[in-house]
Amino acid sequence: MNATRTTAAPGRREVVATASTSLEARRRALKARRLRRGWAALGLVVPAAFFYVVFVLRPLALTVQYSLYDWNGVGASTFVGVDNYTRLVEQPELLGSTVNALELIIYFSFVPVILGLLTAATIRKFAASRLALAARTVLFLPQVIPLVAAGIMWTWLLATDGLVNELMRMLGLGSVTRAWLGDTSTALGAVGVIGAWVALGLCLLLLLSGMTKIDPALYEAARIDGAGAVREFFAITLPSVRQEIGVCVTVTVIAALAAFDIVYISTQGGPANSTLVPGLEIYYLGFFSREVGQASALAVVFMVLVLAVVLPIQRLTKEED
Amino acid sequence: MSRSTGRNAAAATSLFLASILALTACSAPGADSTADDAADDGATTAADGDWTCGTDDVTLDAYLETGFPLSAALFEEFEKQYPNVTFDVREDQFAVITQNAPRVLADNPPDLMRLPQMSDLVGDGLLYNLDEAAAHFGWDEWPASQLAQMRVDDEGRRGDGPLYAMGKNYSMTGVFYNTELAEQIGITEPPATLAELDDMMQKAKDAGITPSDQFNGGATGGLAFPLQLLMASYGSVDPINDWTFQKPGARIDTEDNIKAAEHLKKWIDAGYFADDINSLDYSQMMGRFIDGKSLLIFNGDWESGNLDTQMAGKAGFFLMPPLEEGGKVGAMSAPLTFGISSKAENPECAAFFFDWIATNDEARTIAVEIGGSHPMGPADAFMPEVDADSVTGQTLAAGATIADDNGAMEFIANATGAIYAKSWTPNLQKLAAGEQTAEGLLTAVQADYENDVNG
């Protein structure tokens, strides 16, 4: 950006200098040119801005507006001020699903980031080999499978007569087999496993690309100093991919908090609300209970919560730059 | 340079803000929407309508539930008899129809639509008032119970008031059982009392057969089926209907109903349902039953035709038995409801089609043979010959018993728009998981019901 500006500036000065004699005329020409450039830039920005406003900002503004009304989505509405927000405080069960979303962070974010780090650190050493390419492809595969398909596939795998339980029976673990998605004590964890499986590929790829950029001389120097693989990992690899970890954590935390598709396909929030997440709660409130105002208020509160969780992560990684 | 950047930024910001303000220009949502007009339209019908499909070409827009071949068969026959009529059909899952209903009725008004819980829709003036049609066609002379569930009064309560929907047929629930598995455990006759049903399930369990693969997973609390049937065995169906129709002061946590819920809990504790009941969906239940993996399921006669095809000679049907032999029986029984949008283009032709389904011999034959349920219409209307030993034959005979006993109940899941997904289902799943008591289940549902009705 800066480079373009400095190279463009002298050129412009030259043109202006040859075209006019007086200082005033030169200033006016400069101004006119800047204005033309401004309008051209605006012309390029406007179409994108239009779509952004219509499809992002407008729904956002409307959600905030709806949250102040008692409205069933079709009939006449009543302005109720912040009543929908106070109800969220008075009826804590409406926010109960948030606890599940926070628990999902462990599965959707921590597990794939840690596993991704370990796998990437292992693959890094033979990153150029075919084996690493194969491993990368296999582990990245879940990313390209639509979440709905992943949900359906895992529903079969985790069923009582599914592959997971069959394998456990073969290993003599028949006593622990169960309907993983149908048991209130294991359903959330089972949904978490699906999420971890999906997110692992993205984290692995991001972290691996970060690791391949590390100067090999660093590792050589560490080795000469007598560092082992563990020391190398903590002293060189980990600090070098801090930014990539930041991106991974941000993306996966948002995926955990905003989870909808995997949960909807695999459990629909059941059994007994044990996998109910805010995304589903908003959907049920809006479309089944037809409390559009209440659903919008929960959506707004939830958006603030996501920002409150994600912004510190962003800041943390920025400070380290 | 920085000044021009600042100006551009300011211009862009102003543009954004101006656009947002323009786009969300603050009028109250829904205030000037179709609702008010629709309410007016919905309150009146064409008094001097000709109530036919005429002779000009007519296209009826239909929005249906996917997976039921009955409608397609009826449309085909109607198009054959009335060549000027064509059906333009759109199909969706019932859950999708439920969530889309208000918007579809308001924005893209169909002439015929499969309806979810309908009192909210009437409240918003989205449904066509069929009183004039009922008077014209003589539907008022049919047994009143057939239409009661589709009447909605000014307060949004069902059971009374103007008619806002019609049924394609009326269905009924009970118990389907695998006759081969029953014979294996020494049972050749359907149980006559609840105790005999308990015994039947215990014998199956002892023989290593899953007594019931009832669905109860995801957002579908299928244990509501046996629970409501047990309620009818323990008490009268009237208080249950009062509750479903939102009669003031009606309660679901009555003494009789608590006993029924305790009976269901006894079945759960005895291990009569599959271990993975809380992850079983409807299609898995049907798959396992048809494959002969469980002795019985609590389900409705809409599966009769299907079971006659897929389990020919191996399936039977009985009503939930009473406490004492010969006692009164009850069943969830409801019309397969269809409505007309208050803004539909061809309401008269659609109403004519409803009348045709109930009165035309071919249509009634289709309703029985493909729909597996009893057609709507006058009590003495034509009925096709059905093999009495087939599942369809057995469910039709059971329907007559329910009519004699006046034991029809609307499904407790339809009491309010959200009660099934938000209250019955999670609480029934908790009951199955051992995290809820029988009484606690009904108390929790009653609390949610009051919240829905008053809130």
Side-chain angles (χ1 to χ4, degrees):
Chain A
M1 203 63 168
N2 285 338
T4 335
R5 279 179 193 159
T6 44
T7 49
R12 188 164 62 218
R13 218 171 283 136
E14 251 175 45
V15 175
V16 171
T18 50
S20 61
T21 46
S22 80
L23 193 68
E24 183 57 27
R26 211 165 65 188
R27 202 177 289 147
R28 221 178 299 137
L30 195 67
K31 198 176 166 188
R33 198 181 172 99
R34 272 183 190 156
L35 211 61
R36 272 203 305 278
R37 286 196 164 198
W39 282 116
L42 210 60
L44 291 171
V45 168
V46 161
F50 173 78
F51 284 102
Y52 187 72
V53 168
V54 172
F55 294 110
V56 179
L57 296 181
R58 180 176 179 267
L60 204 66
L62 282 176
T63 307
V64 175
Q65 190 203 349
Y66 292 170
S67 72
L68 304 174
Y69 286 83
D70 179 15
W71 187 40
N72 67 3
V74 175
S77 57
T78 321
F79 183 78
V80 292
V82 293
D83 276 11
N84 289 326
Y85 292 93
T86 43
R87 264 182 74 188
L88 287 178
V89 183
E90 285 163 10
Q91 295 181 13
E93 67 270 16
L94 286 171
L95 289 170
S97 55
T98 313
V99 178
N100 289 341
L102 293 174
E103 195 176 327
L104 278 186
I105 292 179
I106 298 170
Y107 298 98
F108 279 49
S109 190
F110 291 175
V111 172
V113 169
I114 291 167
L115 279 182
L117 268 173
L118 296 177
T119 321
T122 315
I123 295 180
R124 178 190 64 81
K125 292 176 185 152
F126 49 93
S129 73
R130 282 191 182 175
L131 185 66
L133 182 73
R136 242 178 14 225
T137 313
V138 169
L139 288 166
F140 190 68
L141 211 58
Q143 269 298 308
V144 297
I145 295 176
L147 287 179
V148 172
I152 293 173
M153 197 177 78
W154 275 94
T155 310
W156 292 338
L157 291 176
L158 294 168
T160 32
D161 49 359
L163 189 66
V164 172
N165 282 327
E166 292 298 330
L167 283 175
M168 288 185 130
R169 279 186 203 107
M170 273 168 60
L171 295 170
L173 294 168
S175 57
V176 279
T177 59
R178 64 186 71 210
W180 299 99
L181 289 163
D183 192 313
T184 49
S185 57
T186 58
L188 191 63
V191 169
V193 167
I194 308 175
W197 178 80
V198 170
L200 178 61
L202 176 75
C203 290
L204 170 78
L205 217 69
L206 271 171
L207 295 168
L208 195 61
S209 71
M211 286 181 196
T212 47
K213 280 188 286 185
I214 303 171
D215 187 352
L218 281 174
Y219 288 107
E220 271 172 41
R223 227 163 292 140
I224 290 165
D225 287 346
V230 177
R231 192 75 190 268
E232 264 182 19
F233 177 77
F234 282 106
I236 302 169
T237 315
L238 205 55
S240 308
V241 293
R242 200 176 285 270
Q243 248 183 325
E244 283 80 4
I245 293 174
V247 175
C248 276
V249 172
T250 309
V251 171
T252 52
V253 164
I254 293 174
L257 292 176
F260 178 85
D261 22 26
I262 291 178
V263 186
Y264 185 75
I265 292 298
S266 57
T267 63
Q268 290 174 301
N273 290 343
S274 59
T275 59
L276 192 66
V277 287
L280 266 183
E281 180 80 49
I282 293 165
Y283 165 73
Y284 283 133
L285 271 174
F287 290 101
F288 284 89
S289 304
R290 302 211 181 112
E291 293 178 27
V292 175
Q294 189 64 69
S296 302
L298 183 58
V300 170
V301 168
F302 185 56
M303 188 183 73
V304 172
L305 176 82
V306 172
L307 287 174
V309 173
V310 169
L311 285 181
I313 300 172
Q314 292 276 295
R315 179 163 286 189
L316 217 65
T317 49
K318 243 185 195 160
E319 277 172 2
E320 298 295 334
D321 282 354
Chain B
M1 192 72 72
S2 67
R3 246 189 333 185
S4 107
T5 314
R7 265 202 309 274
N8 283 346
T13 312
S14 327
L15 178 79
F16 268 42
L17 289 175
S19 316
I20 296 168
L21 283 175
L23 287 164
T24 62
C26 287
S27 62
D32 61 341
S33 77
T34 52
D36 292 340
D37 307 337
D40 295 340
D41 291 347
T44 54
T45 53
D48 53 349
D50 71 350
W51 301 110
T52 68
C53 290
T55 49
D56 295 341
D57 284 349
V58 182
T59 302
L60 287 178
D61 287 320
Y63 186 27
L64 314 172
E65 180 181 4
T66 194
F68 291 85
L70 171 64
S71 293
L74 288 171
F75 293 165
E76 201 179 311
E77 179 62 28
F78 191 76
E79 282 172 345
K80 211 160 75 186
Q81 294 186 24
Y82 299 91
N84 64 316
V85 179
T86 317
F87 288 91
D88 185 4
V89 180
R90 174 185 162 192
E91 291 189 3
D92 265 321
Q93 297 279 353
F94 191 67
V96 179
I97 293 181
T98 305
Q99 70 187 30
N100 284 348
R103 285 256 69 92
V104 170
L105 285 165
D107 298 341
N108 190 12
D111 296 306
L112 289 168
M113 180 172 173
R114 172 82 173 101
L115 294 180
Q117 207 277 344
M118 53 181 271
S119 47
D120 295 351
L121 305 173
V122 172
D124 286 322
L126 297 170
L127 291 178
Y128 191 81
N129 182 328
L130 283 162
D131 271 357
E132 292 286 345
H136 174 83
F137 291 115
W139 298 341
D140 294 337
E141 287 149 33
W142 300 356
S145 62
Q146 283 188 26
L147 302 183
Q149 295 181 24
M150 298 174 296
R151 296 186 181 278
V152 183
D153 68 13
D154 297 345
E155 306 282 321
R157 296 192 200 106
R158 288 186 303 153
D160 210 358
L163 183 70
Y164 283 100
M166 268 297 280
K168 277 205 170 149
N169 52 17
Y170 54 95
S171 53
M172 180 202 61
T173 63
V175 191
F176 289 104
Y177 69 113
N178 184 317
T179 50
E180 282 189 343
L181 291 181
E183 269 174 42
Q184 263 184 45
I185 55 171
I187 289 168
T188 49
E189 288 286 312
T193 63
L194 207 49
E196 281 182 36
L197 177 58
D198 293 350
D199 184 49
M200 182 178 177
M201 292 209 271
Q202 184 60 46
K203 278 185 178 155
K205 190 170 188 296
D206 293 343
I209 300 164
T210 308
S212 178
D213 273 322
Q214 190 67 18
F215 73 105
N216 202 46
T220 55
L223 281 181
F225 281 52
L227 174 63
Q228 188 169 357
L229 295 175
L230 284 166
M231 286 178 180
S233 295
Y234 272 94
S236 161
V237 298
D238 296 334
I240 302 166
N241 277 332
D242 286 351
W243 187 80
T244 318
F245 292 154
Q246 300 184 8
K247 292 261 165 67
R251 301 192 70 84
I252 198 70
D253 53 351
T254 60
E255 224 168 277
D256 287 338
N257 291 347
I258 290 172
K259 282 183 200 154
E262 279 166 353
H263 201 110
L264 179 69
K265 178 76 176 134
K266 199 172 81 184
W267 284 353
I268 293 167
D269 293 342
Y272 293 164
F273 295 107
D275 294 340
D276 55 349
I277 179 168
N278 274 349
S279 67
L280 277 184
D281 63 24
Y282 184 86
S283 59
Q284 285 173 301
M285 169 185 79
M286 286 310 294
R288 289 191 193 180
F289 181 68
I290 289 167
D291 288 348
K293 290 186 177 147
S294 64
L295 175 66
L296 51 87
I297 52 172
F298 302 90
N299 204 349
D301 56 4
W302 52 85
E303 292 292 354
S304 301
N306 181 26
L307 293 177
D308 271 329
T309 316
Q310 304 216 40
M311 288 180 79
K314 291 185 200 165
F317 179 86
F318 58 86
L319 290 165
M320 181 68 93
L323 286 179
E324 284 162 22
E325 198 164 347
K328 278 198 167 190
V329 286
M332 281 145 59
S333 176
L336 186 68
T337 41
F338 278 75
I340 304 171
S341 166
S342 56
K343 308 185 116 203
E345 275 184 36
N346 308 296
E348 294 172 356
C349 179
F352 177 71
F353 174 65
F354 284 144
D355 187 64
W356 174 85
I357 299 171
T359 54
N360 183 272
D361 290 357
E362 276 82 13
R364 290 179 68 87
T365 306
I366 290 168
V368 171
E369 288 178 356
I370 297 176
S373 303
H374 202 288
M376 305 284 288
D380 57 351
F382 164 84
M383 279 297 281
E385 291 264 330
V386 178
D387 175 6
D389 291 334
S390 66
V391 184
T392 306
Q394 293 176 49
T395 48
L396 287 175
T401 310
I402 290 295
D404 288 345
D405 279 9
N406 217 1
M409 298 173 285
E410 162 64 314
F411 190 18
I412 45 174
N414 292 338
T416 77
I419 200 83
Y420 187 47
K422 295 299 290 172
S423 194
W424 279 118
T425 297
N427 280 298
L428 285 166
Q429 288 172 340
K430 279 184 194 166
L431 191 76
E435 295 170 6
Q436 178 63 285
T437 62
E439 194 174 349
L441 162 87
L442 296 181
T443 312
V445 171
Q446 178 65 27
D448 289 336
Y449 170 86
E450 283 168 21
N451 198 26
D452 280 0
V453 171
N454 303 326

